[in-house]
Amino acid sequence: MTTIISPKQFSPVEDAENIRKACQGWGTDEKAIISILGHRNLFQRKLVRLAFQEIYHQDLLQQLKCELSGNLERAISLWTLDPADRDAVLANETLQKSDPDCRVIIEIACIRSPEDLLAVKRAYKFRYKHSLEEDLASSTTADIRKLLVGVTSAYRYEGDEFDETVAQSEASTLHQEIHGKAFNNEEVIRILSTRSQAQLNATFNIYKDIYGHSITKGFPGGDYFSTLRTVIRCIRDPKKYFAKVLRSAINMEETNEDALSRVIVTRAEKDLKDIKELYLKRNNISVDEAVAREWSGDYKTFILALLGADQN
């Protein structure tokens, strides 16, 4: 979504030198750093980081952490990381908290492609010397642990094919297991952690046809069912899910910069344009306008750069 400099104008050495220059003197020139990194694609950012290391024998990320602070430092650091490394960092950060934000894990497990999820798990193991599943199991308990470890351990089929007979059978199974008198999460977790997105969406559609409402309607209360609802929403319609996360992050009484940064940074080079259109349709205000209204300073400038608003 961010507006990218053309390859002919791009020089990783020049970018590295200009970032270094922005970090020298009495104060950091945040706007100069934003004007560079906020307009470079994944491949270009990787080359800038390599050039910076080669010229100054220092990791660009370490330099940014020393020179920037707060929400701006976090957002730019996440943006500069490779996607698999970024997701590994996001996962580890939330698992270190006393009350982990399960949404972070679910987004990685249920929205990333099977190959991307595998890359995240490799990056996590390399960085932290534990498997993601191991740390996840240590940081969660009971049914939530079973559900999250299940979906994180998955390697789903990625094709569009599905079996309608299986979908009908498993729609009935899900209804019985979720709403029956003797709740049993084993079958629910088996279905949600092994079936492809296409197969699960067929199951969810048949469920609605049979029972007259979406599968998440009428869920009992509690943390487990809240987590289960997020898993289903991420599988069923990721763009709609992200639009809702943005709305919550922006409209909460206390704005949630972690959620805003996570969605914008991770989706900017994926499907942010579609998410922005959904947001506008549902909220009658663009994400760009909402961000400009609620935030100020260099953090706002950077987020708007990723949204492409600074080029409108």
Side-chain angles (χ1 to χ4, degrees):
M1 190 66 214
T2 182
T3 305
I4 302 301
I5 190 171
S6 74
K8 290 181 180 178
Q9 298 172 298
F10 171 64
S11 166
V13 171
E14 187 176 321
D15 279 353
E17 290 173 344
N18 286 333
I19 291 172
R20 180 73 168 192
K21 191 182 301 180
C23 296
Q24 293 175 331
W26 288 105
T28 304
D29 187 348
E30 289 89 351
K31 288 180 173 53
I33 295 172
I34 293 168
S35 71
I36 297 168
L37 293 177
H39 299 91
R40 302 295 183 268
N41 63 29
L42 174 61
F43 179 67
Q44 291 169 339
R45 296 194 303 276
K46 188 178 294 187
L47 291 180
V48 172
R49 192 175 173 187
L50 287 171
F52 197 93
Q53 178 71 49
E54 188 172 325
I55 298 168
Y56 303 110
H57 307 289
Q58 184 179 6
D59 186 359
L60 174 58
L61 277 169
Q62 291 304 315
Q63 179 79 67
L64 294 173
K65 286 181 182 295
C66 290
E67 299 296 332
L68 306 175
S69 62
N71 294 316
L72 177 65
E73 181 274 319
R74 175 175 167 74
I76 288 187
S77 293
L78 288 172
W79 177 244
T80 306
L81 284 166
D82 286 346
D85 253 352
R86 177 196 302 147
D87 281 345
V89 168
L90 286 168
N92 184 258
E93 283 180 350
T94 199
L95 292 177
Q96 294 304 312
K97 297 176 181 177
S98 57
D99 183 21
D101 184 351
C102 293
R103 295 178 305 170
V104 177
I105 303 299
I106 295 166
E107 289 165 16
I108 294 168
C110 297
I111 296 178
R112 308 301 188 257
S113 73
E115 287 298 325
D116 286 346
L117 177 56
L118 198 59
V120 173
K121 292 195 280 190
R122 286 188 183 125
Y124 192 100
K125 187 163 59 174
F126 181 79
R127 270 182 170 267
Y128 304 110
K129 312 308 176 190
H130 302 109
S131 72
L132 174 56
E133 293 92 333
E134 180 183 357
D135 284 354
L136 180 56
S138 298
S139 302
T140 53
T141 58
D143 291 339
I144 290 178
R145 173 195 288 164
K146 293 177 185 176
L147 176 60
L148 293 183
V149 171
V151 295
T152 304
S153 302
Y155 186 83
R156 302 177 192 275
Y157 173 64
E158 209 173 359
D160 295 329
E161 299 87 353
F162 63 88
D163 186 320
E164 189 169 351
T165 303
V166 170
Q168 288 177 332
S169 171
E170 292 188 343
S172 175
T173 298
L174 287 172
H175 185 267
Q176 181 179 339
E177 301 298 342
I178 292 170
H179 297 287
K181 291 182 180 178
F183 170 71
N184 178 5
N185 67 2
E186 299 298 331
E187 279 296 276
V188 175
I189 292 171
R190 176 190 67 79
I191 293 167
L192 292 178
S193 63
T194 61
R195 299 303 187 190
S196 69
Q197 183 181 32
Q199 184 65 51
L200 286 170
N201 275 320
T203 299
F204 299 153
N205 289 335
I206 288 174
Y207 186 104
K208 188 172 184 179
D209 290 343
I210 295 173
Y211 300 106
H213 57 79
S214 71
I215 187 171
T216 56
K217 187 173 182 180
F219 267 15
D223 291 342
Y224 173 75
F225 281 99
S226 175
T227 305
L228 182 61
R229 182 181 291 108
T230 301
V231 168
I232 292 170
R233 285 175 173 172
C234 283
I235 292 169
R236 187 170 59 190
D237 194 339
K239 294 171 188 175
K240 182 179 177 182
Y241 163 81
F242 279 126
K244 286 185 175 180
V245 174
L246 283 178
R247 182 176 63 189
S248 295
I250 294 168
N251 293 341
M252 285 174 64
E253 190 171 327
E254 291 187 11
T255 52
N256 187 339
E257 287 78 9
D258 281 353
L260 180 75
S261 296
R262 186 178 78 247
V263 175
I264 301 299
V265 167
T266 61
R267 308 317 295 178
E269 295 174 296
K270 297 282 188 181
D271 51 8
L272 186 56
K273 182 179 178 182
D274 296 334
I275 294 167
K276 286 177 62 175
E277 288 174 359
L278 267 176
Y279 185 96
L280 175 61
K281 186 176 180 181
R282 290 177 171 271
N283 299 283
N284 296 318
I285 184 174
S286 70
V287 178
D288 307 0
E289 290 175 288
V291 167
R293 182 185 64 191
E294 295 293 336
W295 281 274
S296 60
D298 294 319
Y299 175 71
K300 179 182 85 169
T301 302
F302 180 64
I303 294 297
L304 289 177
L306 298 193
L307 287 165
D310 61 348
Q311 298 296 316
N312 289 344

